[in-house]
Amino acid sequence: MRRLLKNIKKEGKAYMKKIGFIGIGIMGKSMVRNLMKAGYEVAVYNRTKSKAEDVVAEGALWCDTVAQCAAGRDVVISIVGYPKDVEEVYFGEGGVIAHADPGTCVIDMTTTSPKLAVRIYENARKKGLKALDAPVTGGDTGAKAGTLTILVGGDQEAFETCLPVFEAMGKNIRYEGKAGNGQHTKMCNQIAIAGALSGACEAIAYAKAVGLDPQVMLDSISTGAAGSTQLSNVASRILKDDYDPGFFIKHFIKDMKLASEEAEAAGAKLGVLDYVLDMYRDLETEGLGDLGTQALIKYYEK
């Protein structure tokens, strides 16, 4: 089995040489760089061309349209902002599904609706394409380091074919099952982060209220039973008044809203998620949506 998987990886790398990449944001830019480092030819498209100029200078090929970025590629990857952006990229006369060549693997790495992922999968199959939903976690740091966790839904054969591509961008790469399951797993990730990050902010708020040194407190508890990435990494930015986005508040709101809607449809009650979502919405109404998620502490500082 190990030998078979090794052969699949080798054949996949040999077969998939040309990649179209749509969405050159905080995450996408580093992912493109890692794909190029791995030896892939990467063509890129972004609505704002200036955001892609540095990776184009480094060797990526610029495309003027989504259609141009999708045609003639072995793999097309997208990581954009919102479900409406995914809809625009994949459907319609100028979309990926209409212009990707039969046999192409199309991979949406945006965190979006599981139902939309299934719709992309079904429409892609009708056009002879292979479709995977593969949202990521790890933030800007993981994207730069090539250590993203990648959660993949779709046909297992397509997953195995695309594994070398995923390995250029991430380390913890998981096949989650049928189409939409990658997105459902990402919902679980965002639900867990909502609780962990709000807990970290409450711990800092409490430490300040009772006169503790917040940094000593974080150093003391972050390697124990309370430890988490949110506590040890994200919360440390709070103490430096660093609210630059590794992940935008506005995008986290989008993710939590999707998770809340999916939970309601499935009959699951997620009180912590809904409470944290309300806190972030409150911050967004104050104009803080472009700050990093660690700015949740500002809710407790009111």
Side-chain angles (χ1 to χ4, degrees):
M1 180 65 183
R2 213 175 268 177
R3 182 179 296 175
L4 176 61
L5 190 54
K6 192 180 287 185
N7 288 339
I8 288 170
K9 290 180 184 179
K10 285 180 180 177
E11 289 169 7
K13 183 63 178 288
Y15 163 66
M16 295 183 299
K17 295 180 180 178
K18 296 182 178 182
I19 296 176
F21 200 103
I22 300 163
I24 315 300
I26 290 176
M27 303 287 287
K29 186 170 292 189
S30 294
M31 293 159 76
V32 165
R33 286 180 171 133
N34 286 326
L35 288 166
M36 291 193 295
K37 284 177 188 175
Y40 292 101
E41 176 188 293
V42 185
V44 299
Y45 170 79
N46 198 65
R47 280 187 298 196
T48 307
K49 185 178 180 179
S50 60
K51 292 183 179 180
E53 286 176 350
D54 46 0
V55 290
V56 170
E58 293 164 23
L61 307 174
W62 171 254
C63 298
D64 290 319
T65 63
V66 168
Q68 186 181 343
C69 196
R73 316 296 168 194
D74 303 311
V75 178
V76 179
I77 295 171
S78 58
I79 182 164
V80 293
Y82 296 89
K84 62 181 177 59
D85 301 313
V86 176
E87 292 248 7
E88 184 180 326
V89 164
Y90 280 88
F91 300 107
E93 293 182 4
V96 169
I97 291 175
H99 291 275
D101 297 346
T104 300
C105 292
V106 299
I107 307 170
D108 184 32
M109 304 185 81
T110 314
T111 299
T112 188
S113 161
K115 294 181 180 67
L116 179 54
V118 172
R119 190 172 146 219
I120 291 171
Y121 171 83
E122 291 173 346
N123 280 268
R125 283 191 68 185
K126 292 174 185 176
K127 299 284 288 189
L129 309 173
K130 302 171 185 176
L132 297 169
D133 51 287
V136 300
T137 181
D140 60 332
T141 303
K144 288 174 184 174
T147 57
L148 292 169
T149 293
I150 305 176
L151 313 165
V152 189
D155 294 337
Q156 187 160 6
E157 181 183 355
F159 166 75
E160 291 170 350
T161 300
C162 293
L163 192 54
V165 174
F166 291 134
E167 288 177 333
M169 300 179 286
K171 293 297 181 187
N172 182 22
I173 302 158
R174 300 283 180 170
Y175 176 64
E176 306 295 342
K178 65 184 180 179
N181 277 13
Q183 296 294 350
H184 277 302
T185 307
K186 181 61 185 289
M187 296 298 102
C188 293
N189 183 80
Q190 303 306 73
I191 291 163
I193 286 176
L197 183 51
S198 60
C201 288
E202 291 197 356
I204 291 172
Y206 176 82
K208 289 180 177 179
V210 299
L212 293 178
D213 182 324
Q215 187 62 64
V216 173
M217 179 276 294
L218 286 180
D219 292 342
S220 300
I221 72 172
S222 61
T223 58
S228 70
T229 299
Q230 300 304 310
L231 191 65
S232 58
N233 293 341
V234 179
S236 65
R237 297 185 182 186
I238 293 170
L239 303 187
K240 299 171 186 174
D241 290 324
D242 175 6
Y243 300 110
D244 288 343
F247 191 57
F248 288 110
I249 282 177
K250 62 186 180 183
H251 289 163
F252 195 34
I253 288 172
K254 175 261 297 184
D255 294 355
M256 288 189 288
K257 184 180 176 186
L258 285 169
S260 182
E261 290 169 353
E262 291 292 329
E264 184 177 355
K269 295 182 179 179
L270 306 180
V272 172
L273 173 70
D274 290 336
Y275 182 58
V276 176
L277 175 55
D278 284 342
M279 287 193 287
Y280 272 114
R281 281 172 165 160
D282 188 67
L283 293 178
E284 188 176 41
T285 61
E286 295 178 11
L288 304 180
D290 286 325
L291 296 182
T293 53
Q294 67 273 22
L296 180 62
I297 192 66
K298 293 181 180 294
Y299 182 88
Y300 293 93
E301 293 174 343
K302 292 181 180 181

